[in-house]
């Protein structure tokens, strides 16, 4: 699946399979995590299928730990984790990496030595935390409207990406920290999004391609390099589809003025064409979703609860699936009571600037776009108010 296989795993962890060599060389990650007595410290490999535990230890009074594994043939990524606190490390050749930290703030306050890549990854991790804090401040600013928030967030991301491209990725694209930077994420509207998103940005595709080309030269057999090429190729296809869709799409000014939204006209799971503009007079939750994604079932249950509570009061859900498998989508939506359509090529999602899923928008009874998820703290209360209750 284009989203879940190439991108969702990268949002959770750095994508690709671990490559280990056939020699007897070892690398070592050791150090101390203070104030963590009796806590379990996990040493995890960041694989295509998500984090995989390699080793673990129950920390004692002094917090000392040491993990040793076979040296990989190409740069590989691991993390130290206690509960939700994480320190990312990369391994290249026979490095001995030393980490010193204190729990429970080890993610943002730690020292690392023995590896330039790990030092750079620390810089990137701290920059990412700062970016997220800035985004949160913008989103939570009660004096900013939806358009202002979107503009401010886009400006923050553009500045961050420019800095990272110039000083980390393009500077040494063959390095592990350049690869790490490609898969950094930010949270917005309850969803994790790639900062560099090759699915919707031609410039970001070029960034992925630059690192992929460099890894071809320095690590020609690395699975991570092959994975980067696959992402870049898929990204080129996606961007081309979006461009074609945008070139073909002509929105009549009178129609926009009348409805206040860009219409969506797609076939539902029973083959019937459903127009978003036909729902004028009802409160609409426009939802973009991937049924094959992790957490889908829980989220659908939440939507079902809202639908059951407010449908009689005027709520309708218009759900746009981005699942590539049509049969799977029809099976998953057969019993759902709301409108279920499928965006096969991603063009509809592109017109609504959807960069990560799940995400949603609220549309009022006048068929005017009201708010998107990042602006909503209490969805239940917002729907209730729009329904006039």
């Amino acid at each position: 699946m284009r989203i879940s296989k190439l991108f969702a795993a990268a949002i959770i962890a750095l994508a690709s399979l671990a490559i280990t060599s056939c020699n007897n060389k070892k690398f070592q990650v050791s150090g101390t995590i203070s104030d963590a007595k009796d806590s379990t410290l996990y040493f995890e490999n960041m694989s295509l299928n998500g984090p995989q535990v390699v080793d673990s230890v129950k920390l004692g009074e002094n917090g000392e730990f040491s993990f040793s594994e076979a040296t990989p043939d190409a740069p590989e990524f691991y993390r130290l984790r206690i509960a939700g606190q994480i320190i990312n490390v990369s391994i290249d050749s026979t490095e001995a990496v030393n980490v010193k930290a204190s729990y429970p703030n080890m993610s943002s306050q730690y020292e690392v030595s023995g590896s330039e890549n790990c030092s750079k990854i620390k810089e990137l991790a701290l920059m990412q935390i700062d970016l997220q804090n800035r985004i949160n401040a913008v989103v939570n600013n009660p004096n900013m409207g939806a358009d202002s928030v979107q503009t401010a967030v886009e400006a923050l991301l553009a500045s961050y990406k420019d800095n990272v491209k110039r000083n980390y990725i393009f500077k040494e694209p063959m390095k592990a920290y350049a690869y790490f930077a490609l898969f950094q994420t930010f949270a917005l509207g309850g969803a994790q999004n790639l900062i560099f998103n090759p699915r919707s940005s031609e410039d970001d595709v070029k960034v992925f391609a630059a690192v992929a080309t460099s890894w071809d030269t320095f690590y020609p057999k690395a699975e991570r390099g092959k994975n980067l090429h696959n992402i870049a190729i898929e990204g080129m296809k996606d961007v081309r589809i979006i461009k074609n869709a945008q070139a073909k799409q002509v929105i009549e000014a009178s129609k926009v003025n009348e409805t206040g939204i860009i219409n969506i006209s797609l076939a539902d799971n029973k083959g019937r064409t459903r127009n978003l503009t036909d729902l004028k007079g009802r409160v609409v939750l426009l939802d973009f979703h991937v049924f094959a994604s992790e957490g889908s079932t829980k989220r659908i249950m939440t939507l079902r609860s809202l639908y059951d509570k407010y449908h009689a009061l005027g709520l309708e859900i218009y759900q746009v699936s981005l699942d590539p498998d049509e049969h799977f989508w029809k099976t998953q939506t057969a019993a759902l009571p709301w409108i279920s359509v499928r965006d096969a090529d991603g063009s509809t999602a592109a017109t609504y600037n959807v960069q990560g899923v799940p995400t949603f928008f609220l549309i009022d009874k006048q068929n005017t776009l009201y708010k998107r998820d990042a602006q909503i703290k209490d969805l239940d209360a917002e729907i209730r108010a729009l329904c006039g209750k």
Side-chain angles (χ1 to χ4, degrees), residues 135-336:
I135 290 175
N136 292 344
V138 169
V139 171
N140 295 326
N141 188 338
N143 299 317
M144 297 181 69
D147 291 341
S148 297
V149 167
Q150 181 173 343
T151 300
V153 170
E154 288 176 351
L156 287 172
L157 289 171
S159 176
Y160 184 91
K161 290 165 71 172
D162 179 65
N163 177 28
V164 171
K165 281 191 292 187
R166 286 187 295 105
N167 297 312
Y168 293 88
I169 297 177
F170 290 153
K171 186 176 181 180
E172 293 184 299
M174 79 296 295
K175 295 288 189 177
Y177 68 80
Y179 184 101
F180 177 87
L182 293 179
F183 295 102
Q184 287 192 292
T185 65
F186 68 98
L188 185 66
Q192 288 290 329
N193 309 274
L194 285 170
I195 294 173
F196 292 96
N197 188 353
R199 188 170 185 269
S200 60
S201 169
E202 186 173 10
D203 287 340
D204 291 353
V205 171
K206 294 177 181 178
V207 176
F208 272 78
V211 178
T213 301
S214 183
W215 276 53
D216 275 350
T217 301
F218 287 86
Y219 318 108
K221 297 181 180 180
E223 289 296 324
R224 289 188 182 276
K226 297 176 183 177
N227 187 61
L228 287 179
H229 271 295
N230 290 336
I231 291 176
I233 291 170
E234 288 296 324
M236 291 175 188
K237 293 178 181 177
D238 289 335
V239 169
R240 193 157 49 243
I241 289 171
I242 291 171
K243 281 187 173 181
N244 291 339
Q246 290 174 339
K248 292 177 182 177
Q249 185 180 27
V250 178
I251 305 171
E252 298 175 10
S254 60
K255 189 173 185 179
V256 173
N257 291 334
E258 177 186 351
T259 65
I261 59 171
I262 299 173
N263 187 36
I264 298 176
S265 182
L266 293 170
D268 66 14
N269 49 5
K270 298 177 177 61
R272 174 186 171 190
T273 299
R274 307 302 293 265
N275 291 295
L276 183 61
T277 51
D278 290 343
L279 299 176
K280 187 174 183 179
R282 301 188 69 83
V283 175
V284 180
L285 177 64
L286 173 59
D287 185 66
F288 290 86
H289 187 75
V290 175
F291 285 89
S293 63
E294 183 178 357
S296 171
T297 301
K298 182 178 180 180
R299 188 164 184 275
I300 292 300
M301 290 175 65
T302 299
L303 292 180
R304 183 61 183 260
S305 177
L306 288 170
Y307 184 88
D308 291 345
K309 187 175 181 179
Y310 292 110
H311 180 63
L313 300 177
L315 173 68
E316 185 56 79
I317 296 177
Y318 189 105
Q319 189 166 55
V320 182
S321 164
L322 297 174
D323 291 270
D325 188 326
E326 182 178 9
H327 177 73
F328 174 78
W329 161 67
K330 286 184 176 180
T331 301
Q332 293 296 305
T333 60
L336 297 181

